[in-house]
Amino acid sequence: MTLAMTRAEREAFLAGLHVGVLSVAAPGRSPLTVPVWYAYEPGGDVWFATEPGSRKGRLVGVAGRASLCAQNEVPPYSYVSVEGAVRDTGPSSPDELRLLAHRYLGPELGDAYLAATSADAVSHTYRLTPEVWWTVDYAKMALG
């Protein structure tokens, strides 16, 4: 019995609503590992927004690679982890920022969040192209 997800399962899981955990190499230190809001559509790139001058943005710019893990935190546990090249695609559009805010906070609270943070530094959109996938779905033990 394998607990690994099929391609369709892993892509559907990653497209679901999870807070991602991004890890990126930090020269001379342990990797930076931080939660991120992200979006993904099956077959595409994982994308997230951050300020290029933030520690996360700077490290991603230097490393050019990262890993992202999304998980279920209640039984039966499952996770998808992807690793691959990351590129800065430039300033995030208002539509991209709205999509993330609405995805994680809902329309009303998402719009309030955007209004409250609109004066902050400009975020850039970063795209991670999945090259390697790691998956586990413990629900498959019950189906075994």
Side-chain angles (χ1 to χ4, degrees):
M1 163 185 47
T2 180
L3 300 179
M5 295 181 195
T6 65
R7 179 179 181 162
E9 290 169 339
R10 73 188 189 199
E11 290 187 344
F13 183 93
L14 191 58
L17 184 58
H18 307 278
V19 172
V21 178
L22 184 79
S23 291
V24 60
R29 297 180 65 177
S30 297
L32 174 68
T33 302
V34 293
V36 294
W37 292 352
Y38 75 91
Y40 172 77
E41 291 186 21
D45 291 338
V46 176
W47 65 271
F48 59 94
T50 196
E51 297 170 23
S54 69
R55 183 165 184 240
K56 177 178 18 176
R58 289 190 319 269
L59 290 173
V60 167
V62 169
R65 300 188 62 75
S67 297
L68 181 125
C69 182
Q71 65 184 0
N72 276 341
E73 296 182 2
V74 296
Y77 302 108
S78 54
Y79 73 85
V80 168
S81 181
V82 294
E83 58 184 82
V86 179
R87 66 192 184 285
D88 178 346
T89 61
S92 302
S93 73
D95 288 341
E96 289 171 323
L97 296 175
R98 187 177 309 102
L99 185 148
L100 288 176
H102 286 194
R103 173 175 165 84
Y104 284 93
L105 300 175
E108 186 175 334
L109 192 53
D111 287 343
Y113 169 82
L114 291 170
T117 60
S118 65
D120 292 346
V122 175
S123 290
H124 280 207
T125 298
Y126 293 81
R127 295 191 171 273
L128 185 157
T129 302
E131 297 168 359
V132 178
W133 295 74
W134 301 97
T135 67
V136 168
D137 183 357
Y138 286 104
K140 292 185 175 195
M141 289 177 66
L143 302 174

